[in-house]
């Protein structure tokens, strides 16, 4: 399945899953509200952020009640300031409240991923280095978080175990060496990129000689990264990984590597603080 088709399906199934876990057979508290009660509401951010998750929220409320009208004041990838109104909603009061928590949970998490990514991207601005995510995503949110990374200005590494080869230490040992592993990868799928993770200069030389497309420098020191760049001389793409943080990111980028991958973009983000409030209510 094509990436964008998979993402569209993820939006549909993700919205359904969010509603199933929260609303279940029905919101019993919302039943306190008269069925004919109509309301307007607004979602406001309490902290600066990069917005992400619009399509999931649209789909969520479409499934709840197509009468709900959503007016977005920002788009995915936009910067939000403290106090900004992100979204205005109008429709049956019950439906607005049915979807409140599911919508906010999703928006807060994906916006957090986009925000962390933008922070990191800003730190390496001007270096020409690409920031990559990893498979260290929150369970069930793989495609959604990888989409959020792109909204923050980052780039996606492989989506899963099926769309690119990443030959690590155990693969190398089981295959009988880097050259054999790379050769077998080419035999299996010539059209997919082949990446080799290395820990030493000798392994780097082997991976380059074997014809890898990308070499991941695993926990190399800054000096060793510079030496790896010199040895490589532009023959393959060099990816730095390990010990990546706000404090080290710029220094790593300035070694001359082509890209930096970081699990921190997705695995340990803190949700953005968003709030939804009813601004008007009337009986219809």
């Amino acid at each position: 399945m094509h990436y964008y088709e998979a993402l569209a399906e993820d939006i549909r199934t993700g919205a359904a899953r969010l509603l199933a876990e929260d609303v279940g057979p029905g919101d019993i508290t919302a039943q306190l509200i008269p069925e004919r009660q109509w309301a307007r509401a607004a979602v406001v951010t309490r902290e600066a952020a990069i917005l992400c998750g619009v399509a999931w929220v649209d789909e969520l409320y479409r499934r709840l009640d197509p009468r709900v009208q959503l007016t977005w004041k920002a788009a995915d990838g936009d910067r939000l300031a403290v106090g900004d109104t992100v979204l205005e909603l109008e429709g049956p009061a019950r439906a607005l409240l049915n979807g409140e928590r599911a919508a906010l949970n999703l928006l807060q998490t994906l916006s957090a991923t986009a925000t962390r990514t933008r922070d990191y991207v800003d730190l390496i601005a001007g270096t020409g280095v690409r920031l990559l995510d990893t498979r260290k995503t929150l369970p069930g949110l793989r495609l959604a978080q990888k989409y959020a990374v792109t909204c923050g200005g980052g780039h996606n590494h492989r989506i899963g175990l099926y769309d690119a080869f990443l030959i690590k230490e155990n693969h190398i040992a089981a295959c009988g060496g880097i050259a054999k592993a790379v050769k077998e990868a080419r035999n299996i799928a010539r059209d997919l990129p082949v990446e080799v993770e290395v820990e030493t200069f000798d392994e780097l030389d082997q991976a380059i000689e074997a014809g890898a497309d990308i070499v991941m420098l695993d926990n190399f020191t800054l000096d060793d990264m510079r030496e790896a760049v010199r040895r490589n001389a532009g023959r393959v793409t060099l990816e730095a990984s390990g010990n990546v943080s706000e404090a080290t990111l710029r220094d790593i980028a300035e070694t001359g590597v082509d890209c930096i991958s970081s699990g921190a973009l997705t695995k340990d983000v803190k949700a953005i603080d968003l709030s939804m409030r009813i601004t008007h209510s009337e009986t219809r």
Side-chain angles (χ1 to χ4, degrees), residues 83-254:
D84 279 356
T85 295
V86 180
L87 169 65
E88 292 178 348
L89 308 91
E90 181 175 349
R94 286 187 180 184
L96 298 190
L97 296 175
N98 287 164
E100 175 185 0
R101 179 44 51 199
L104 291 182
N105 282 351
L106 195 285
L107 276 180
Q108 289 175 159
T109 301
L110 296 191
S111 295
T113 299
T115 302
R116 172 71 64 81
T117 302
R118 182 66 61 83
D119 289 344
Y120 276 30
V121 167
D122 288 346
L123 286 171
I124 59 175
T127 65
V129 174
R130 292 181 298 132
L131 181 68
L132 305 176
D133 54 25
T134 71
R135 289 187 299 122
K136 296 176 181 178
T137 52
L138 300 178
L141 289 178
R142 171 68 54 80
L143 283 181
Q145 281 197 292
K146 282 185 171 284
Y147 168 74
V149 166
T150 67
C151 289
H155 300 266
N156 294 150
H157 206 286
R158 58 178 179 163
I159 303 299
L161 296 174
Y162 53 85
D163 61 325
F165 292 96
L166 178 47
I167 301 169
K168 299 189 176 186
E169 179 182 12
N170 287 333
H171 300 104
I172 294 168
C175 288
I178 290 175
K180 289 183 178 179
V182 172
K183 181 179 179 180
E184 184 60 23
R186 297 299 187 197
N187 290 335
I188 292 170
R190 288 192 171 276
D191 59 329
L192 295 181
V194 177
E195 180 169 3
V196 179
E197 181 182 76
V198 303
E199 297 178 349
T200 66
F201 291 130
D202 180 55
E203 290 178 344
L204 170 65
D205 293 339
Q206 290 181 52
I208 294 172
E209 182 65 27
D213 300 302
I214 309 164
V215 175
M216 179 190 292
L217 308 176
D218 183 36
N219 287 301
F220 273 42
T221 66
L222 293 175
D223 285 341
D224 285 350
M225 287 183 203
R226 295 186 189 96
E227 174 60 16
V229 170
R230 187 194 67 78
R231 285 181 179 230
N232 178 48
R235 287 176 288 175
V236 303
T237 298
L238 290 183
E239 173 189 334
S241 182
N243 297 316
V244 177
S245 67
E246 292 185 3
T248 63
L249 195 57
R250 183 79 190 189
D251 288 339
I252 294 173
E254 290 178 344

Side-chain angles (χ1 to χ4, degrees), residues 38-104:
W38 202 264
R40 291 195 293 269
V43 174
V44 177
T45 180
R46 292 173 173 167
E47 58 184 303
I50 302 297
L51 179 64
C52 183
V54 168
W56 281 266
V57 176
D58 284 345
E59 175 65 13
L60 187 150
Y61 274 106
R62 186 192 69 78
R63 287 174 174 270
L64 272 174
D65 193 323
R67 293 175 294 173
V68 175
Q69 298 179 7
L70 290 82
T71 303
W72 290 94
K73 301 300 183 180
D76 284 346
D78 285 353
R79 287 188 182 273
L80 304 174
V82 176
D84 279 356
T85 295
V86 180
L87 169 65
E88 292 178 348
L89 308 91
E90 181 175 349
R94 286 187 180 184
L96 298 190
L97 296 175
N98 287 164
E100 175 185 0
R101 179 44 51 199
L104 291 182

